[in-house]
Amino acid sequence: MKPRYAPYFFLAPFFLLFGVFMVYPLFDSIRLSTYSVRGMRHQTFVGFENIERLLADPLFWTALWNTAYFALGSLLLQLPVALGLALLLSNARLKGRNLFRLSFFSPVLISGVFIAVIFYLLYDRRYGLVNKVLGFEIPWLQDPDLVMPALVLAGVWRWAGFNMVYFLAGLQSIRRELYEAAAVDGAGTWQTFIHVTIPALRPVIAFVVITSMIGSFQLFDLPYVLTEGGPGNASMTMVMYLYKHGFEFINLGYAATIGWALAVIIGVISIIQVRFFGVFREN
Amino acid sequence: MNHLGKAPLIFGLLFLLAFPVIVFRGDDRSNTLEFWVFHQIHYDEYSARIPAFEAANPGVRIELRLISKSHDKLLAAFLSGVGAPDLAEVEISSVGRFFKGSKEEIGFVDVTDRIEVDGFRDEFVQARLAPWSLDGRVYGLPHDVHPVVLLYRHDAYEEARIEPESIVTWDDFVRETRPLARDGDGDGRPDRYPLLLSAHKPGHFWLLLLQNGGGMFDEHGGVIIDNEIAVSTLEFYCRLLNEERLAIPEFSQDPASFAAMKEGVVLGVLAPDWYIGAVRRFVPELAGKWRAMPLPAWREGERRTSTWGGTMIAVTNQAENPDLAWEFVKYAYMDDEALANRYRKTYIIPPIRSAWSNPVFSEPDPYLGGQFLGKNLTELAPDIPGFYLNPYWAEANDLLRQAVYEAANGIRTPTEALSNLAEQVRALMKDTPAMTEGGALRLPSPQIETSETE
């Protein structure tokens, strides 16, 4: 074998597996989205009918709104919490820093299903810890107006510690000279934070925002176990909606259409974010 | 190959060796049965019974697997044509999705003839064969009957001087149990509730609807969820929740509901046999305080029970040795001792009437103050209602959840909620008639009769 072919030889297993398990299903799902699939193997070509049906389906828009609500709620609540925790835990004078870091990070090690079960108990109207502490009987999971905020809060608990680690790493990589220069210029704590820390963390913030948005749009396990999409359809998310059509109704064509709609939405949002943060801009 | 040495050669040889091992598994699996179950209790039961089957059948091995989301995985295996086990248990609420498409696409072995040849068709409670039957063909054997009783707090009834015998109909129940639902602390809601009905999930409504003779589809596949029976049942359901406030709306079968039982907030539950096992497990401190009575009838002299939940076992059409699989099915599902043992552990009534003569079903139950629970349940079991399997079952059931939620929470009237549900199901059947054979909509034929009469 000629040496120049050797890399291809070693890379071949990856491309083979990637092709079979990623590329082929991806393209086949495009084909599938143009079919009405009923039953195990009964397929009928319907062209763009699935897309027309999707756009006219009120439940699709409900699911999209709920998912966007969760994504935005997570972004607005989770990231400040993660950054705040990172700032607190990067303070060298804080005792037991490592213990706190591990504690805040640990929720991400727990399966989503288990977290959902815990929050099911925490949010219980009569006996849940949350209402016991607040002193009210708030119907977190029964009220359609409260169920999404309840999910956002559970999401914050789960992911804030994880994103905190990224911010911690980002904070540690900021050059000390910048803080010293700011101090020499007479900048206060807030000014230093706004004019030194935030700009220096820009790449990390971009990464966390983009990955959090993608993750939020793929939300499934938490509402699936915690609320089953209810009350009514008040917490139905896009992936739950996809799952329902794909695996409960066995309408794989429509499920593929939902999947591609989700992929396009995530793609567009990610491109906007990449441009906003200037991720690939030089310097 | 100079600077790479022998690496490519070694990789090539390893690949050549591994490929046939992975792709052409040489082991003979015709004497091995892979069996998927979805519930820990079932797993424990079969784990204890399998060694005896293997001992009686030398060379046979049963690979029992407790699989999470087993229905999804089974469906994926049927869709792809590979990867299914030899045997699988399927839960009743999921079974509809396995019966879409043409008959040839059903992933389970048609066992109708085997049941006839073995001559035990009549031994089953016939209504329990219906959920796994299509066009008169049977694709699985039932694990259970799940007759429903009303579990009530005997001590509370005594304190309020309520005679359980005086409750024959649901109207009697409303009249007799009103004194239990008083608002003693003045917070605007009852301190105690004679019943638990979910305002968010359809399970309780569904079992009451079945008891009342209703259902989702009729024997010809027509939608009947908006008929007079369904509307009046849902109206009564909402009345118990909202006007009479005799039923607590916030729980279904969640852990908090057991806390409410412990606190004496919930004084009665609609309880299938398996749920009585759960109450016993999670609320042991109420031993001796519960009693079971037949469900109040909708009208005097009518059915005093319903059914909730269920499981079947099926041989998949990917089984290498269906005959052996069938032998195991009979062993696991029809052996009298196995069924008695199942009752001892789970309180689940088997669907085979001959098994009910086992003394275990006549033992007094200390948890229910010495009542003969097994005897009571087996007396009710032949009268459980049946319902018709339909290819649109999964979609209709999902819409039912929404309808019950809307009606119970005052978003729509029961009539509006059920009419909306029925319209959506009819539109679905009209718009997606891909489940056809030769262009005509395939409907389930009238199956085994819906309920047994002795």
Side-chain angles (χ1 to χ4, degrees), chain B residues 225-360:
Chain B
I225 193 62
D226 56 347
N227 68 10
E228 178 53 35
I229 294 173
V231 170
S232 63
T233 308
L234 189 54
E235 281 173 347
F236 181 75
Y237 191 85
C238 295
R239 190 181 137 208
L240 286 177
L241 283 167
N242 301 321
E243 290 156 41
E244 300 285 352
R245 295 202 298 177
L246 293 177
I248 187 166
E250 61 208 62
F251 305 117
S252 51
Q253 296 163 335
D254 34 341
S257 68
F258 296 118
M261 289 178 206
K262 277 181 198 174
E263 283 205 344
V265 175
V266 171
L267 303 176
V269 285
L270 302 170
D273 50 2
W274 56 268
Y275 187 60
I276 298 172
V279 172
R280 193 187 299 263
R281 207 162 50 249
F282 294 117
V283 203
E285 50 274 76
L286 292 183
K289 294 185 175 173
W290 290 111
R291 296 288 186 278
M293 68 162 123
L295 289 186
W298 285 95
R299 288 156 290 276
E300 211 165 331
E302 291 191 357
R303 178 184 284 133
R304 297 290 304 266
T305 190
S306 186
T307 184
W308 190 6
T311 299
M312 75 150 180
I313 190 170
V315 179
T316 74
N317 56 15
Q318 293 178 30
E320 282 190 32
N321 190 343
D323 294 335
L324 179 63
W326 181 244
E327 287 308 309
F328 182 76
V329 167
K330 287 192 285 185
Y331 170 77
Y333 268 49
M334 302 203 63
D335 179 77
D336 276 2
E337 193 44 46
L339 299 177
N341 191 45
R342 180 187 296 167
Y343 181 76
R344 274 187 209 102
K345 290 191 170 168
T346 64
Y347 302 95
I348 288 174
I349 300 292
I352 298 162
R353 284 179 294 185
S354 59
W356 300 343
S357 56
N358 190 299
V360 74

Side-chain angles (χ1 to χ4, degrees), chain A residues 80-137:
Chain A
V81 170
L83 182 56
L85 287 174
L87 286 167
L88 279 173
L89 296 182
S90 62
N91 188 336
R93 282 172 296 177
L94 184 73
K95 284 184 182 171
R97 276 195 307 167
N98 289 336
L99 182 68
F100 282 119
R101 284 178 186 180
L102 180 66
S103 304
F104 291 130
F105 179 75
S106 58
V108 84
L109 304 173
I110 305 169
S111 104
V113 172
F114 189 68
I115 289 172
V117 172
I118 290 174
F119 272 88
Y120 194 87
L121 300 173
L122 289 174
Y123 281 140
D124 184 74
R125 186 175 179 171
R126 274 180 192 253
Y127 305 108
L129 185 66
V130 174
N131 282 350
K132 290 282 181 199
V133 170
L134 294 174
F136 299 105
E137 283 197 8

Side-chain angles (χ1 to χ4, degrees), chain A residues 41 126 137 243-244 247, chain B residues 72 97 105 189 250 398:
Chain A
R41 287 177 208 99
R126 274 180 192 253
E137 283 197 8
Y243 171 84
K244 197 180 276 285
F247 279 89
Chain B
D72 291 349
R97 50 182 163 155
E105 293 174 82
R189 66 179 185 190
E250 61 208 62
D398 185 61

Side-chain angles (χ1 to χ4, degrees), chain A residues 17-18 34 85 114 132 159 185 204 215 263:
Chain A
L17 293 172
F18 186 74
T34 59
L85 287 174
F114 189 68
K132 290 282 181 199
W159 292 110
D185 289 346
V204 179

Side-chain angles (χ1 to χ4, degrees), chain B residues 205-206 209 215-218 221-228 230-231 234 390 392-393 395-404 406 412-431:
Chain B
F205 167 70
W206 177 246
L209 177 65
M216 182 68 76
F217 300 98
D218 65 15
V223 178
I224 55 167
I225 193 62
D226 56 347
N227 68 10
E228 178 53 35
V231 170
L234 189 54
N390 187 289
Y392 297 92
W393 177 253
E395 290 92 331
N397 197 36
D398 185 61
L399 291 166
L400 179 66
R401 182 174 64 98
Q402 178 75 5
V404 171
E406 288 177 344
R412 291 180 196 228
T413 65
T415 308
E416 287 168 355
L418 293 178
S419 297
N420 183 47
L421 159 61
E423 274 169 31
Q424 288 188 68
V425 178
R426 288 190 188 109
L428 184 77
M429 293 167 81
K430 192 173 161 224
D431 293 343

